[in-house]
Amino acid sequence: MASSPCGSNFDCGLEIKTRSVEQTLIPLVSQITTLINHKEKPKKSERTLRAIQRVGQAVSGAVGRFVAVGEAIAVENEELKEEMGLACFEARRAGNAIAQLTDVSTLEQPESDERSTVFSDRTAMVKAARMLLSSVTKVLVLADRIVIKQIITSRNKVLVTLDQLERVTTFQEFVQIFSQFGNEMVEFAHLTGDRQNDLKDEKKKARMAAARAVLEKCTMMLLTASKTCLRHPDCESARINKDAVFQRMRYALEQVIEIVTDSRPGGEAQSVLPISLYTGIKDFKGKVEGLRESLYHVSVESLSAQLEALLEQMEDFTDSPYTHHEQREGLLQLCSLARQDTHTLIAAWTQAQQSAKATEATEEVELAILKACQSVGELRKELHKIAVGRATELLKQHSEHLALHALKAGGGEGNLEAVAEYARTLSEQKEQLVETCRLLCHVSGTEPLEITCIHAEETFHVIGPQIISAAQTLALHPSSKIAKENLDVFCEAWESQLCDMAVLLREINDVFEGRRGDKKTYLSLPRPGKHSANLKTAKAAKLDSEEQSTIAKLGLELRLLTSDVDSEVERWEDQEHDIARHSQTISSMAYSMYLFTRGEGLLKTTLDLFHQAEILSEQGFQLCSHLHTFATQLVDDDKAVILSETEKLAASSQQLQMGAKTPVHGKSATFLKVEQSIQNTKGVMTVVVFLLPVCNKLLKKHKSERNSLGSPQDWRDKQLPTPLREEALNGKSSNGFGVKSLEQHMAGLTFLESK
């Protein structure tokens, strides 16, 4: 069986943290594995010899080009010069050794010729291969440090400007510094977005996504909170509101650096997530089932201690004031049953060990194992039911945002008593949501989703008091437009987090039901009051039961198409590929439109639906761009197929966009527009469903035809940060922190004096 000289991780002792480094090494590993695992035959044909020599020369040539790039990097980065130079020297030496060992172009080798070849000295070949992979990996890891350094440098610039912003006392100075801050945040957004997509570790990806989400929301909050403080410098609640934003931004910036450097300030190791009930139950079941294979080598008493520790964690559910009495009683009964079945298993196990004839698990032990697994399985189902049910109930209760509306009204009227009353209501809602996020964390099923639950918990915990301080400021200055705008921004952040929680809930259900656990979801859903200009004068409406019934068939057809897209994306080896990633995003948006036809999900009104259709069309155009880029790598026939389907996708996206932007008036016209939007979305999805398997097949074909590392320029483009494109600075990239919204707020700065 073929094997790679350095194992499946290709790192030869060096930890590879990013996909780009790993993907760069794969072709090299493939070629070297081919050389090492050639079939040993007494006679080698001319064709075999030529093939081996060709592969050896290709490896040596690619390494030479690769090393040239590494040496250029060393010249540009003095701090890496010595390490990079040594790694490049070793890589070049190993490449030359492989070229010499594969120089076997002639069949006739005189017996007196003591020159080593891949046939005569397999050990030398393995040694050269190991040295090559180790040195090339080291070059790549060193180059990756440059990316980390650039992120740290960008963070440092943001921190300096953040300190300046915190100390400004005049509006003119604030406008100037915030403009610089906005540009620096855009740069930081793109650097960290690229890094997030490149990370191999899904936990780190989730942590990076959470930190970047904080920065995105806080950028808007910082702007309005600072403006409010400048307008009302003696207002204590405004200062508290502003200080909390700056503190949270600094914390999020520090989190990003912890993730990219794998350390905490002071050199501490990163903290480990507390074990969730889902993970604990899974581990317990694994140990119980493992008893079948080790009758005399396991201490079953440890199972009892592990179960007790697990049941102690149930207090998060049983002690919660929001858990219904019947649910609490049911949980306690299931805990008692699990404890009883575990004790029965221990007794059966002990008896089997004492029996001289028993060499493997007896029938009694097998039955006890099954019962113990079943009882903890039922416990897990009940925990999931309670947590998800509680979250669903809360989201439904808060869908109208009554407390937020009351705070806005009370603040606008200058009614401090009303603000105090509804502040208590919001605080209670916050506590409910925080505790529910904690319960969801226990049943989320994957570590990335656990991290997302923790992020949601922290967000509700922080934003709740910030909304209250913003409302208090407005109540003290009811005529202040900037104070009103500030409260609106914090309320939108709360509503946004509720939307994200609904998406999270869907993901947790997917994991529990065994569908998809790490599917990408589109989180930037339309926010109330932030629709495009052509929709601002339109009236938001909901479909009535008759209209929902009429459109149900279209919605179901759209749902089936989203399932097809999800299935096709899951077949991709590289699900981070731009084509797969954008297709998944389009599918997630289409799914939310399907939910709208059922009167469910996050899209509540027709305006929400039309805005979602606009955003989906933009994603369609972005996918077209990636398809065009992909087509340039293909031969004529394949290229023609991709370009033909890309034209169809562009036409469907254009039709969807134009339909969504067309203003309509009246109930029947609005419903026709809804129907047409769903139909046009189906058109986009149909093309995507066709393209995904075709592109996947062509991508595999293209990779199999690559015989070396690729050009040094391709590798360098992967490894080194590229300058920010003009469109990135204009907010056209998906990695920005809400850049368009940032520009809108920047434009509004000039009106501060009149507020």
Side-chain angles (χ1 to χ4, degrees), residues 198-454:
D198 200 22
L199 287 170
K200 287 174 58 183
D201 191 313
E202 293 299 326
K203 291 186 292 183
K204 290 181 182 177
K205 268 191 173 184
R207 291 185 65 221
M208 181 73 87
R212 294 178 74 244
V214 170
L215 291 171
E216 177 181 348
K217 291 185 175 77
C218 281
T219 300
M220 296 300 101
M221 296 174 185
L222 183 144
L223 176 59
T224 56
S226 297
K227 286 164 62 179
T228 304
C229 259
L230 285 171
R231 185 70 180 85
H232 309 289
D234 298 325
C235 183
E236 180 66 13
S237 57
R239 185 192 60 77
I240 292 172
N241 183 260
K242 171 190 164 185
D243 288 348
V245 177
F246 276 88
Q247 182 181 355
R248 195 158 189 241
M249 282 206 77
R250 289 192 177 95
Y251 178 71
L253 288 166
E254 199 59 51
Q255 277 190 314
V256 170
I257 301 306
E258 288 177 18
I259 295 162
V260 298
T261 61
D262 267 339
S263 64
R264 289 183 177 274
E268 298 176 16
Q270 289 198 0
S271 59
V272 179
L273 284 175
I275 296 177
S276 66
L277 282 167
Y278 173 90
T279 304
I281 289 173
K282 183 179 178 182
D283 184 54
F284 179 80
K285 285 182 68 176
K287 288 185 178 178
V288 168
E289 291 172 341
L291 293 176
R292 296 187 178 100
E293 309 299 327
S294 51
L295 189 62
Y296 290 100
H297 304 287
V298 173
S299 169
V300 290
E301 287 76 9
S302 63
L303 286 177
S304 180
Q306 184 177 357
L307 179 67
E308 290 305 319
L310 199 60
L311 297 182
E312 189 175 339
Q313 282 186 280
M314 301 287 178
E315 291 176 358
D316 283 346
F317 285 79
T318 56
D319 292 358
S320 170
Y322 308 114
T323 300
H324 300 308
H325 176 72
E326 297 80 7
Q327 293 174 330
R328 183 178 292 106
E329 290 298 316
L331 265 183
L332 292 174
Q333 288 177 11
L334 287 172
C335 289
S336 177
L337 179 61
R339 186 180 286 114
Q340 178 182 330
D341 288 341
T342 301
H343 289 162
T344 301
L345 171 60
I346 292 173
W349 178 267
T350 303
Q351 185 177 359
Q353 276 191 317
Q354 292 171 351
S355 172
K357 297 180 180 179
T359 57
E360 57 184 25
T362 63
E363 187 175 327
E364 290 78 8
V365 170
E366 179 63 29
L367 181 60
I369 288 174
L370 292 174
K371 289 190 69 176
C373 289
Q374 183 181 3
S375 59
V376 293
E378 290 298 321
L379 187 57
R380 180 203 162 201
K381 289 180 183 178
E382 185 63 19
L383 292 169
H384 176 87
K385 179 181 176 182
I386 291 173
V388 170
R390 179 62 184 153
T392 304
E393 183 182 331
L394 273 182
L395 287 172
K396 187 175 181 181
Q397 286 177 8
H398 303 327
S399 61
E400 300 299 326
H401 310 297
L402 298 180
L404 299 183
H405 294 321
L407 281 170
K408 289 180 183 180
E413 295 167 358
N415 190 337
L416 285 169
E417 290 184 0
V419 167
E421 178 185 349
Y422 288 105
R424 287 191 291 271
T425 302
L426 186 68
S427 294
E428 184 178 344
Q429 291 181 3
K430 179 205 72 175
E431 292 301 326
Q432 292 175 348
L433 288 165
V434 163
E435 184 146 347
T436 300
C437 289
R438 198 172 296 136
L439 299 187
L440 286 175
C441 186
H442 274 302
V443 301
S444 54
T446 70
E447 286 186 315
L449 287 178
E450 285 180 27
I451 291 167
T452 307
C453 289
I454 293 170

Side-chain angles (χ1 to χ4, degrees), residues 580-596:
R581 192 157 44 85
H582 275 80
S583 298
Q584 187 69 81
T585 299
I586 289 172
S587 175
S588 294
M589 295 183 190
Y591 186 85
S592 67
M593 295 174 75
Y594 151 71
L595 290 177
F596 175 85

Side-chain angles (χ1 to χ4, degrees), residues 658-719:
M658 294 301 293
K661 287 185 174 182
T662 302
V664 293
H665 302 283
K667 183 177 175 64
S668 59
T670 299
F671 177 70
L672 286 175
K673 183 176 176 179
V674 169
E675 196 171 25
Q676 195 60 48
S677 295
I678 301 295
Q679 191 68 52
N680 290 338
T681 302
K682 276 181 55 189
V684 171
M685 291 290 289
T686 300
V687 181
V688 173
V689 169
F690 175 84
L691 276 167
L692 277 170
V694 175
C695 291
N696 192 19
K697 180 181 177 182
L698 292 175
L699 187 64
K700 290 179 180 177
K701 176 183 175 184
H702 178 66
K703 283 186 176 180
S704 68
E705 292 172 352
R706 292 167 58 191
N707 293 323
S708 68
L709 278 170
S711 72
Q713 185 59 42
D714 288 343
W715 171 78
R716 191 170 191 178
D717 288 344
K718 282 183 180 180
Q719 291 303 310

Side-chain angles (χ1 to χ4, degrees), residues 26-27 86 115 174 181 212 232 252 309 320 374 387 446 459 475-476 494 499 539 587 621 680 688 690 725:
I26 286 175
L86 179 60
R115 183 174 62 85
F174 176 77
F181 176 76
R212 294 178 74 244
H232 309 289
S320 170
Q374 183 181 3
T446 70
T459 300
L476 292 169
W494 179 276
C499 289
K539 183 179 179 182
S587 175
F621 291 132
N680 290 338
V688 173
F690 175 84
R725 299 185 297 272

